[in-house]
């Protein structure tokens, strides 16, 4: 019985972390075609590579824990994110505006990391470590994106 509860908690936790990572990747993929600034394009490509590495860590941990079928965000969440980015950039495709959108998403990502860790305290040290890496990546991205507001 306890193993079933632990596996359910682990599955819930890993899916929460995985969805946070997938949201970041999707945001970058959705916004990249609108970016005109080469420095920002390079930064986003670098960030995406780092998120993809964390995504792979989640997938490997899920496999090691025999958790099948990590859940990406549902189609409604994906459509909402895509339309939000597209509506917000219809009239303003400036580097500053795009950086602002990315920063807002990144701030939300950091908040989600803190909430997920608090909500799943003691469930998995390995997943805590992945989440810590994600939190650090998000915080670093904030520092890197802020100068694009100038």
């Amino acid at each position: 019985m306890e193993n079933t509860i632990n596996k359910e908690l682990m599955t819930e936790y890993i899916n929460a972390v995985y969805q946070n990572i997938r949201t970041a990747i999707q945001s970058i993929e959705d916004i990249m075609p609108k970016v005109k600034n080469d420095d920002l394009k390079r930064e986003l490509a670098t960030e995406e590579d780092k998120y993809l590495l964390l995504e792979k860590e989640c997938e490997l941990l899920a496999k090691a824990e025999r958790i099948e079928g990590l859940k990406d965000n549902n189609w409604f969440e994906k459509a909402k994110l895509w339309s939000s980015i597209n509506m917000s950039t219809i009239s303003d495709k400036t580097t500053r505006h795009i950086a602002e959108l990315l920063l807002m998403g990144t701030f939300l990502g950091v908040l989600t990391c803190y909430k997920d860790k608090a909500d799943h305290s003691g469930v998995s040290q390995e997943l805590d470590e992945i989440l810590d890496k994600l939190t650090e990546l998000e915080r670093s991205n904030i520092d890197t994106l802020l100068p694009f507001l100038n």
Side-chain angles (χ1 to χ4, degrees):
M1 178 79 165
E2 188 171 318
N3 274 350
T4 303
I5 292 170
N6 288 345
K7 185 153 184 167
E8 286 174 16
L9 289 172
M10 180 66 174
T11 300
E12 177 185 300
Y13 189 19
I14 200 165
N15 275 307
V17 174
Y18 186 74
Q19 287 171 0
N20 192 345
I21 294 167
R22 288 296 310 149
T23 298
I25 293 168
Q26 184 194 344
S27 296
I28 291 170
E29 289 173 352
D30 288 349
I31 213 160
M32 188 68 94
K34 297 166 183 352
V35 176
K36 305 288 185 242
N37 181 294
D38 288 338
D39 291 334
L40 184 55
K41 277 186 181 178
R42 277 191 293 279
E43 174 56 31
L44 292 178
T46 300
E47 288 180 15
E48 184 176 26
D49 288 345
K50 292 175 183 176
Y51 285 116
L52 289 168
L53 288 173
L54 289 175
E55 177 187 44
K56 184 56 73 183
E57 281 190 54
C58 270
E59 290 168 352
L60 291 172
L61 181 59
K63 187 175 184 179
E65 294 288 332
R66 292 187 170 91
I67 295 171
E68 294 183 23
L70 281 177
K71 290 180 177 59
D72 195 350
N73 294 304
N74 66 42
W75 69 268
F76 180 75
E77 290 298 319
K78 289 180 179 185
K80 195 166 82 171
L81 179 60
W82 181 87
S83 61
S84 171
I85 289 170
N86 281 290
M87 292 302 289
S88 186
T89 56
I90 281 177
S91 61
D92 189 352
K93 291 181 181 73
T94 63
T95 298
R96 181 182 208 178
H97 182 67
I98 288 172
E100 183 180 359
L101 292 174
L102 290 163
L103 281 161
M104 288 189 294
T106 306
F107 281 121
L108 287 174
V110 170
L111 293 174
T112 301
C113 287
Y114 281 100
K115 289 178 359 185
D116 285 342
K117 192 164 187 181
D119 291 348
H120 301 93
S121 178
V123 172
S124 165
Q125 184 176 348
E126 295 93 343
L127 202 44
D128 285 346
E129 290 170 11
I130 293 172
L131 189 59
D132 289 343
K133 290 179 195 174
L134 176 59
T135 305
E136 187 53 42
L137 173 58
E138 299 269 35
R139 293 175 69 102
S140 172
N141 291 347
I142 290 169
D143 292 337
T144 308
L145 290 169
L146 281 171
F148 288 100
L149 294 177
N150 293 330

